[in-house]
Every structure is written in structure tokens, then in C-alpha cells.
Amino acid sequence: MVLMDSRGMSSAEWKELVQSLEDVGPDYEKVNSLMTFGLVDKWRRRVATLAKDDDVVLEIGSGPGSFTRHLKSRTVYCLEPSLEFSKSSKEVLDMDRVTLLKGVAEKIPLADSTVDKVFCMFSFRDFFDRPAALGEMNRVLREGGEAVITDVAKPDSGPSRR
């Protein structure tokens, strides 16, 4: 048994998580809808209204673009540890204003003070090192910028844990 430390998850759990996301692929939206009793897209649309058209936005854990597609911002960076998982986002996103980045929240591949808004939609619970990720969010935010984290709790056990 591998225990999660207070900062996030173990490396074994991280590898399992990435593999699970890649495995669920086409069923990702169905899973999110079930976990949120059908409210996930309503929440995404509501949170997306916090971004202005002229904002530079970073979404951490962008997956297949389910949240990003609601953003109207001129420049959007989508950070995802698995480009395989985010590959399908190219079909639903305006790639003229969206840039896909491979990476993790603990090491955001952007310069200091680069973005106006950071969004983390349903992925904070899966960060490997939460304090480091929060520090990175703060680092890339411009003065007066905002970070918005929306998430649901991860079940302790059972089939929905995976």
C-alpha cells in the first residue's frame, strides 16, 4: 500500500492517474457527468465567464478541452501532462488562439507574470505537490491576476476512486 503525503500523491499514484486518464479517453465526459450528477458543464460555463476576451489564460489539467472550449479569451494555454489525452481537444478548440503545453502544475513551462487568469477545473485533487503548484500559479500570474480552482472531492475508496 502506497500512502499519499500531505503535499499530494505518490509517484505510483501519479503514474496510475495519468494512465487512467489516457484509458478513459473518449468516455471522459460521461465519467465527469456521472461524478457531478450532470452539473459539470454548467459549472464550466459559469466559471468561464470569469475570463475576459482580452485575458491571457492558463488552464491547468486541460484534458480534452472540455472547459477551454467555453473560454472566449484571445490567448489560452492548455497545460496537460498527457498530450495523448489532450489530442482530441484539437477537434473542439480554436487552435489559432489555443496552445497545448505538455507539463505539470508543479513546473509550469511559462515565464513569470505571463497570464491574467489561471483556471484549474477538476484537477487540483490530482496534483502531485499542491504547495509547489500553487507557487507556480502565483509565479505565472501577472500582478492583479486571478487563480480559480473548481473541484470535487476524490472518493477514498471504491470504483469511483479510479
Side-chain angles (χ1 to χ4, degrees), residues 6-27:
S6 62
R7 297 181 314 160
M9 66 178 63
S10 70
S11 58
E13 287 175 313
W14 174 252
K15 288 176 186 172
E16 181 182 334
L17 169 71
V18 172
Q19 187 60 54
S20 294
L21 291 173
E22 290 175 355
D23 290 346
V24 77
D27 297 318

Side-chain angles (χ1 to χ4, degrees), residues 123-144:
S123 60
F124 187 76
R125 67 185 178 268
D126 297 324
F127 285 2
F128 189 76
D129 182 336
R130 291 182 189 111
L134 291 170
E136 279 291 279
M137 286 182 204
N138 189 54
R139 181 186 65 77
V140 300
L141 277 170
R142 292 183 176 138
E143 187 172 329

Side-chain angles (χ1 to χ4, degrees), residues 14-156:
W14 174 252
K15 288 176 186 172
E16 181 182 334
L17 169 71
V18 172
Q19 187 60 54
S20 294
L21 291 173
E22 290 175 355
D23 290 346
V24 77
D27 297 318
Y28 181 77
E29 279 306 299
K30 292 175 192 167
V31 171
N32 274 333
S33 186
L34 286 171
M35 286 176 30
T36 62
F37 303 101
L39 296 172
V40 67
D41 208 51
K42 178 181 177 181
W43 294 340
R44 286 181 184 134
R45 286 191 312 271
R46 185 172 180 187
V47 172
T49 65
L50 299 173
K52 299 176 183 143
D53 291 352
D54 61 341
D55 280 342
V56 175
V57 171
L58 167 64
E59 183 191 359
I60 300 175
S62 58
S66 304
F67 171 71
T68 307
R69 67 187 174 96
H70 296 296
L71 294 169
K72 306 294 185 222
S73 301
R74 66 181 165 98
T75 303
V76 180
Y77 295 101
C78 293
L79 182 66
E80 175 61 41
S82 169
L83 286 182
E84 181 64 32
F85 184 51
S86 65
K87 196 181 334 183
S88 64
S89 66
K90 292 179 181 181
E91 299 169 15
V92 297
L93 299 178
D94 175 2
M95 297 310 293
D96 290 334
R97 61 185 185 82
V98 173
T99 302
L100 300 179
L101 302 172
K102 179 177 170 69
V104 294
E106 296 83 358
K107 286 189 165 217
I108 298 172
L110 294 173
D112 295 358
S113 305
T114 306
V115 300
D116 301 297
K117 300 274 190 318
V118 174
F119 290 100
C120 179
M121 301 296 294
F122 308 104
S123 60
F124 187 76
R125 67 185 178 268
D126 297 324
F127 285 2
F128 189 76
D129 182 336
R130 291 182 189 111
L134 291 170
E136 279 291 279
M137 286 182 204
N138 189 54
R139 181 186 65 77
V140 300
L141 277 170
R142 292 183 176 138
E143 187 172 329
E146 298 176 311
V148 178
I149 299 170
T150 304
D151 219 324
V152 293
K154 181 187 285 187
D156 289 333

